[in-house]
Amino acid sequence: MKGLERAKTRLRGAADGGIGDPERHASLALALALDTLEAAAAATLVAEIVVVTDDARVATELTSMVGSARFASAGTGVRIVRDEPAGGLNAALLHGAGALSPSLPRAALQADLPALKPAELDEALSCPDRAFVADAAGIGTTLLLAPAGTPLDPHFGGASAAAHTASGARPLPGALPGLRRDVDTEADLAEACVLGVGIRTSGLLVCR
């Protein structure tokens, strides 16, 4: 996850009626990520989550959330690792994957899926192949899967769905609306709200 001051720039103003207050915007970016994380932790096929970030506020809020009784019931381990490569999203994802055992399947999940439902993630994770979930527009990628012993080989950014297909990953079928609905713009956010976002995003009163 990027530092909050650099995250989700196209959403600036979405949380405060267009004013664009930096604190309000940071709170929205953080809410999107924490709602995504909580949904992922509740998926039955997720054993451990690694969050790659250098943002101190993200780390503090995440630590607090993981220590809460609500989160503890999920029973999923969560670790925070610093973005030591500092080379962009794909380098960060490879760094995070390297913190997990190569003997286990791994998945790279974007942090802007506030309408994600645990059952959707379980459906995708049940695929035994190297595969990916395209975003709602069919251009980007929200999830990349790699079986045990297979390199993750991420190609996020831009037309990543085509890039992942070219790399040998297969696109997963199915509706998976919350898993496909990443949030980059206010229109995306409105669609996510219709699907039903997590408590942190909805608590910012952005669903109007």
Side-chain angles (χ1 to χ4, degrees), residues 6-22 24-33 111-114 182-193 201 204 206 208:
R6 296 181 292 112
K8 296 296 159 192
T9 55
R10 284 186 285 169
L11 277 176
R12 195 170 299 281
D16 55 14
I19 295 173
D21 175 68
R24 190 73 172 172
H25 177 73
S27 294
L28 174 58
L30 181 62
L32 298 177
D112 59 350
L113 304 168
D182 55 345
V183 173
D184 291 315
T185 67
E186 287 197 54
D188 297 340
L189 184 57
E191 291 180 14
C193 286
T201 304
L204 288 173
V206 294
R208 51 183 186 272

Side-chain angles (χ1 to χ4, degrees), residues 29-111:
L30 181 62
L32 298 177
L34 295 182
D35 282 341
T36 302
L37 179 68
E38 187 163 70
T44 58
L45 295 182
V46 175
E48 184 174 8
I49 297 173
V50 172
V51 179
V52 182
T53 187
D54 279 339
D55 192 290
R57 181 177 173 185
V58 172
T60 298
E61 294 284 347
L62 178 58
T63 300
S64 176
M65 185 179 81
V66 170
S68 69
R70 174 186 171 89
F71 192 93
S73 63
T76 302
V78 178
R79 285 188 283 154
I80 303 170
V81 299
R82 291 185 59 84
D83 184 10
E84 294 172 348
L89 178 57
N90 291 309
L93 293 174
L94 287 172
H95 180 55
L100 297 167
S101 170
S103 65
L104 297 173
R106 285 144 295 135
L109 182 69
Q110 297 286 59

